[in-house]
Amino acid sequence: MLKTKIDQEWIERIIRSLEDLEYGSVQIIVHDSRITQIEKLEKFRYPLERKDSHNKGAK
């Protein structure tokens, strides 16, 4: 059960951290039952492009 109320400012910060996040994670750090930090790890995924030069001539 939640004993302390989460400040609206922290909720807005969490939402902003999640906006436009396609791949990654948002970690909420809590100390003494209070949010003290938000960490955002964003990953960028790029399509793997194969080069045909390695496969030319091989059958």
Side-chain angles (χ1 to χ4, degrees):
M1 178 116 184
L2 186 62
K3 294 180 181 179
T4 57
K5 188 172 183 174
I6 299 173
D7 188 19
Q8 183 65 30
E9 183 178 354
W10 281 109
I11 293 171
E12 291 172 7
R13 289 175 181 169
I14 293 167
I15 291 169
R16 279 196 309 269
S17 296
L18 292 169
E19 288 176 343
D20 301 323
L21 182 65
E22 193 169 343
Y23 296 100
S25 60
V26 173
Q27 187 174 19
I28 302 166
I29 310 301
V30 177
H31 183 72
D32 289 334
S33 300
R34 301 191 67 162
I35 297 174
T36 58
Q37 183 174 324
I38 299 171
E39 296 178 2
K40 179 179 177 179
L41 176 62
E42 188 168 3
K43 297 184 178 194
F44 298 95
R45 300 206 175 170
Y46 302 98
L48 180 62
E49 294 182 17
R50 295 182 183 218
K51 295 184 179 182
D52 290 335
S53 61
H54 294 291
N55 294 331
K56 284 186 177 179
K59 289 193 177 194

